[in-house]
Amino acid sequence: SQTIHQWPATLVQPVGSPLSLECTVEGTSNPNLYWYRQAAGRGLQLLFYSVGIGQISSEVPQNLSASRPQDRQFILSSKKLLLSDSGFYLCAWSLRWGHNEQFFGPGTRLTVL
Amino acid sequence: GQSLEQPSEVTAVEGAIVQINCTYQTSGFYGLSWYQQHDGGAPTFLSYNGLDGLEETGRFSSFLSRSDSYGYLLLQELQMKDSASYFCAVREDSGGYQKVTFGTGTKLQVIP
């Protein structure tokens, strides 16, 4: 069966510090991978998606970046965090073809102080 | 661009039926999905409609009308554990890639 991991579960970081969130998927190959951010009580905002190694598409211009160094590894980074980067970050995967369903990881709750 | 509209909050009584509507505006529409998210948790998939009509999965049903750019999620025999946020999500073709865009969610409160 497929599993998606995210870490850390919670993170408190000062403004201006760097960020690295990691997501890994097990039990499937060539998945589509996604990073979402959810502000408190709000919907999911798509940040990045990837259809393959090294292939990253950005949905919203911001101070965040994403990388996919391996087929089942997706990393979200920032060089300098802003207060507005606080939120619930969710990684998700779907099958490459016929992907009606997205499978979400447990999420990382980031607080920038 | 694309946009989705759904009510922000709905309250319903345990055992009753509730309908959560979703209207959308998008190009390259492919299908409509519904997700459930409990407070502090991750969204989980409920249903998908690629064609017009009703899809039923247990107590939950989902409907789509492509001509009206409209869909709904129907929850029957409501239980307290159904209290959660429900998101509609549009799957659309974006330059050969099928992208999913989520609505802002409807917070459902089930009361005794």
Side-chain angles (χ1 to χ4, degrees):
Chain A
S1 63
Q2 300 88 4
T3 312
I4 179 169
H5 303 280
Q6 273 187 260
W7 63 92
T10 58
L11 191 59
V12 180
Q13 291 285 99
V15 169
S17 64
L19 173 73
S20 181
L21 302 181
E22 189 163 342
C23 169
T24 59
V25 180
E26 295 178 359
T28 188
S29 297
N30 303 313
N32 291 328
L33 296 173
Y34 313 80
W35 276 112
Y36 291 89
R37 177 171 61 201
Q38 186 176 33
R42 303 291 297 275
L44 282 76
Q45 179 187 34
L46 179 63
L47 302 175
F48 301 95
Y49 64 87
S50 171
V51 297
I53 295 174
Q55 301 179 62
I56 310 294
S57 295
S58 174
E59 284 297 300
V60 182
Q62 57 215 324
N63 68 322
L64 298 172
S65 63
S67 62
R68 185 170 176 173
Q70 300 180 44
D71 181 46
R72 290 170 286 180
Q73 184 186 28
F74 206 22
I75 298 171
L76 183 69
S77 305
S78 173
K79 292 182 180 178
K80 286 187 177 182
L81 284 169
L82 306 172
L83 286 174
S84 58
D85 291 326
S86 294
F88 191 39
Y89 287 82
L90 289 155
C91 180
W93 73 274
S94 68
L95 292 172
R96 180 63 58 83
W97 305 110
H99 48 277
N100 296 332
E101 179 176 358
Q102 290 193 354
F103 302 88
F104 286 84
T108 295
R109 195 162 300 280
L110 172 66
T111 303
V112 182
L113 302 175
Chain B
Q2 64 279 337
S3 68
L4 296 94
E5 289 189 14
Q6 51 182 131
S8 58
E9 294 182 359
V10 173
T11 300
V13 178
E14 189 176 15
I17 299 172
V18 72
Q19 178 174 313
I20 300 174
N21 299 320
C22 174
T23 57
Y24 59 87
Q25 285 186 315
T26 185
S27 56
F29 177 83
Y30 217 81
L32 187 71
S33 302
W34 289 92
Y35 287 78
Q36 178 192 62
Q37 185 182 31
H38 287 98
D39 282 348
T44 56
F45 175 82
L46 292 177
S47 67
Y48 173 79
N49 293 74
L51 301 173
D52 285 358
L54 193 67
E55 294 285 339
E56 297 180 75
T57 309
R59 294 189 295 116
F60 295 178
S61 303
S62 58
F63 172 82
L64 175 67
S65 169
R66 296 171 71 111
S67 60
D68 295 323
S69 297
Y70 162 77
Y72 67 71
L73 179 70
L74 191 73
L75 295 83
Q76 304 182 68
E77 301 173 19
L78 281 173
Q79 302 176 9
M80 299 300 292
K81 67 178 182 179
D82 296 330
S83 292
S85 291
Y86 293 84
F87 296 87
C88 59
V90 165
R91 185 175 154 205
E92 58 184 328
D93 184 38
S94 176
Y97 167 77
Q98 289 178 9
K99 187 176 73 173
V100 176
T101 302
F102 283 78
T104 53
T106 298
K107 190 173 181 67
L108 170 65
Q109 184 182 11
V110 180
I111 57 177

